[in-house]
Amino acid sequence: MGRFAVQLAMCALCASLLLVITGCARAGRPRYAEVLGASGQEPGAALTEVGDKLRPPAGECRDRAREYLADHGTLVATLSPELRARTEDVMRGLHPIAQRVLDRVHGVWYARNIESAAAVFLTCGVDEVAATGGFILLDEAQFPFDRPLRDAEVPGLYWRALAADPAAVLGENDPLRRPRGSGEVGALHHAARYLLLHELGHALSLLTGEFVLDDALRMQVHGLDGFTGFSWKVMTTDGSTLPGTRGKTRVRAVVPRRSLDPMTWGSLLDTIGADPDPLVPGYALARPRRTPATLARDVCAGGLALVGAGFVTPTAARYPTEDFAEMFAHALLADEGKLLPGDHVIVDLPGCGRREIRSPYHAAPLGPKRAYLESALGLHSGRRATATL
């Protein structure tokens, strides 16, 4: 299974995230109604055509793409007719809310060998006044269309990243063991859909003003008055505890609000391949003293505490921007009837064995954050019945 299994649907932003709170000001509350009512249409109105969005990056976005890919990846020059047709089908079949966000970004295109990620949201050509901008790159090898994997199965695969042996978690029921070409998955259900939903979540969070760009075009937290405040808090710490901030006497770090202490949080990030050193105060200093037994103990405790901390997947616990992107994807899948309260996620944690966790998205600790986002997206009026299309 190789790279596909290990890095499934991992997302990367165009630049490293800083954990300090920025001083940028925002005018008013996040602009959901304005952004989701694109092009003069009502919020939630579907696009009639998406073909013009599947195009190579140009201008600033092309420069940003080349900068991000650097020596390890390249832009795909031309899409095969089949890849173009199938990708357009997936884009056309996105939830109407996702299509409204898609209407705001500059485009979607493929690259080869995106480092440590299946996709990247490039913060380029952003017009804060018009609420437009950004570009999505997909790794052409990460979601081949002949692999029978569904969008609603992707969150469970994220949870598997915590296991000592992810390939052994589900045995023969493992969706990644299904032979290529077996059991065709249509455009309304394919796993590539989840990847796009996650990246469009990044776009929406930026364009509505939940997050802001710093001078280096990095998405940053600048306050706790919106989405971020539900699961995150600010921790003031000595600058010496974080690589990259030495020389600063005090820094303000963004850390989980509850249920995860810094070392446990750092161990979880370490396990899923997210570098905890620049995010978790003191983790880099403690790393030399951390043994495999310590790591296993923390992953066990932290894995079981993730939902209580307000996170739908381990990926969501990486940083507030990832938290938003994961919640956005979950909210739309739930609205389509694909994620139900009675669902279970199987988790195999080092040191505490296999557990079943009831649907994280519908769990009580996520209730306030779920209600905030569903209301902002206009999903509180009812569920869409699209899962059987």
Side-chain angles (χ1 to χ4, degrees), residues 46 52 67-68 73 88 119 131 134 147 151 188 197 203 209-210 222 257 260 266 282 287 295 306 323 342 353 358:
D52 62 337
E67 176 187 358
Y68 182 83
E88 288 184 359
R147 185 181 291 277
D151 48 10
L188 290 177
L197 292 178
E210 288 282 5
H222 68 108
R257 176 172 291 278
L260 292 174
R287 185 186 291 277
L295 184 65
L306 273 172
D323 186 10
R358 290 196 68 177

Side-chain angles (χ1 to χ4, degrees), residues 352-373:
C352 57
R354 186 168 302 185
R355 306 291 182 91
E356 284 194 358
I357 299 176
R358 290 196 68 177
S359 178
Y361 179 74
H362 295 96
L366 281 90
K369 182 163 67 175
R370 183 176 65 246
Y372 171 87
L373 186 58

Side-chain angles (χ1 to χ4, degrees), residues 167-252:
V169 174
L170 298 180
E172 294 304 315
N173 294 322
D174 185 350
L176 294 180
R177 294 179 185 270
R178 297 170 190 156
R180 290 180 182 274
S182 66
E184 178 88 5
V185 176
L188 290 177
H189 305 282
H190 197 275
R193 216 168 162 268
Y194 190 93
L195 189 61
L196 277 170
L197 292 178
H198 181 104
E199 301 307 324
L200 289 168
H202 281 308
L204 180 66
S205 69
L206 176 62
L207 299 178
T208 56
E210 288 282 5
F211 302 103
V212 297
L213 293 180
D214 65 10
D215 292 340
L217 298 182
R218 294 172 295 200
M219 287 176 65
Q220 302 287 2
V221 171
H222 68 108
L224 303 177
D225 57 332
F227 177 88
T228 300
F230 288 100
S231 298
W232 303 85
K233 65 181 180 181
V234 176
M235 173 181 176
T236 301
T237 183
D238 191 297
S240 65
T241 66
L242 292 163
T245 61
R246 288 177 174 79
K248 296 182 179 180
T249 305
R250 308 293 285 174
V251 294
R252 302 172 70 201

Side-chain angles (χ1 to χ4, degrees), residues 302-336:
L304 296 177
L306 273 172
V307 174
F311 301 117
V312 287
T313 63
T315 298
R318 295 177 69 176
Y319 196 75
T321 52
E322 294 297 319
D323 186 10
F324 187 99
E326 284 290 277
M327 280 294 290
F328 177 77
H330 278 66
L332 297 192
L333 290 182
D335 192 56
E336 294 172 333

